[in-house]
Every structure is written in C-alpha cells, then in structure tokens.
Amino acid sequence: MSRDPLVVGNVVGDVLDPFHKTASLRVIYNNKEVTNGCELKPSMVMHEPIIDIGGNESRALYTIVMVDPDSPSPSNPTKREYLHWMVTDIPGSKDASFGNEVVSYENPQPTAGIHRFVFVLFKQTVRQTVYAPGWRQNFSSRDFSAYYNFGPPVAAVFFNCQRENGCGGRRYRPGSG
C-alpha cells in the first residue's frame, strides 16, 4: 500500500500518472512552504508563490503548471483541471520569476468544498514557444505534457483550500432570525 501523499490525495490518478520524482520543488506562500495535503486559506494564496527548483542540472529548463482538479466543486468537477498558472523556460536553480509567464496567476477562490491545488513541474527538452490555451477550464496536464513532449513530471506538490470561513453550512447571525 502506497504512502505517497500524491497517491493518497488522488493527485496521481485524477491529474497525473505515476512518476518518479527527479527534481526538488519548493512552493512558498508568505514564507510558508507548501507540503502535500497542507491546508491554506484563500487569503494566504492571494499572490503567486515563490517557486524554488532544485535539481542537479542548473542548465535545464522547466515548466510549471498550477491546476485545480476539483473545479467547480469536488463532488462535480466538470471544469477539471482548471488552470491557475503556467510558467515556462524556468532555468534550473532559479525561481519562477526568471521564467516566461504564459498564463497569469489566478488566485484560488473555491466556493464549495475542499479543493486540491496541484503544482506540476516538467523538465523541458529544449527552449520552445508554449502557447497559452484559449481557456483555463478543462486543461489536461497529461495532454499538455504529451503535446510539448515533456514526458512525465519531475516533481509535484499540492495543497488543500476551501472558503475562508470554513466548511459551509448555515451560521447563526445576530439579528437574522
């Protein structure tokens, strides 16, 4: 039985096929490093994170995508995968600010349920023009990788996020009854 958090969290399956991690990926929001399955509130992820790539190839180039496989809701993910961010041509041993932002960062704002937000890192074989898809919904990390011949991911990490005030349901408000 696998204890890989990407498998336990169904990221492998819903978003990715099984892969072997060959690079390190650190995603940092407001000095807090994302660990697989951690919970971050929308107010913590308003602005794009710092992406730190560590690998043994400083001359390599990488592409990162951030997707929400639970859009618009985990029980009915009809927009799976919703693309929140894409940066290409990131030099190894640099952060994403050195790359080419192809799709601008859209901060997570889930309205129903707990959503997984997945960062997928691909190693590029060459510097190439990557075109932004015409829409953000129904993006496919698998198809994207196949189209640009990236091969399997080299790293991935995800966090959970839900509405700022928690888990829904009705709340009593003074004067509302």
Side-chain angles (χ1 to χ4, degrees):
M1 182 138 100
S2 176
R3 295 270 179 233
D4 182 337
L6 295 171
V7 173
V8 173
N10 290 322
V11 170
V12 169
D14 288 349
V15 179
L16 305 171
D17 293 324
F19 70 96
H20 293 290
K21 181 179 173 183
T22 58
S24 71
L25 170 62
R26 295 177 63 220
V27 177
I28 302 157
Y29 282 102
N30 302 319
N31 297 319
K32 178 174 175 39
E33 184 170 350
V34 172
T35 57
N36 281 316
C38 71
E39 172 129 354
L40 298 176
K41 295 289 187 186
S43 60
M44 300 168 73
V45 295
M46 292 283 295
H47 305 287
E48 63 187 52
I50 294 171
I51 301 293
D52 182 33
I53 300 167
N56 48 13
E57 300 178 53
S58 60
R59 291 166 34 132
L61 294 172
Y62 296 90
T63 290
I64 193 160
V65 296
M66 176 187 174
V67 296
D68 174 1
D70 302 314
S71 181
S73 73
S75 59
N76 187 24
T78 57
K79 295 180 181 177
R80 170 181 294 170
E81 300 161 31
Y82 188 90
L83 180 63
H84 279 264
W85 197 34
M86 181 188 296
V87 181
T88 66
D89 299 327
I90 305 166
S93 75
K94 297 282 186 188
D95 65 63
S97 65
F98 288 88
N100 176 29
E101 187 177 62
V102 175
V103 175
S104 62
Y105 183 80
E106 183 177 315
N107 59 306
Q109 296 178 315
T111 56
I114 299 171
H115 290 239
R116 297 164 293 166
F117 289 89
V118 184
F119 293 90
V120 185
L121 185 68
F122 297 101
K123 183 177 173 188
Q124 296 174 218
T125 52
V126 295
R127 183 179 295 270
Q128 62 186 316
T129 301
V130 173
Y131 295 99
W135 54 88
R136 290 179 183 253
Q137 62 202 31
N138 302 123
F139 179 80
S140 168
S141 297
R142 289 178 179 102
D143 292 350
F144 173 73
S145 173
Y147 185 81
Y148 287 104
N149 296 311
F150 289 154
V154 295
V157 65
F158 79 102
F159 67 90
N160 293 315
C161 187
Q162 62 182 318
R163 281 197 342 254
E164 201 69 38
N165 57 359
C167 53
R170 293 217 248 170
R171 299 209 191 311
Y172 172 76
R173 289 194 314 269
S176 66

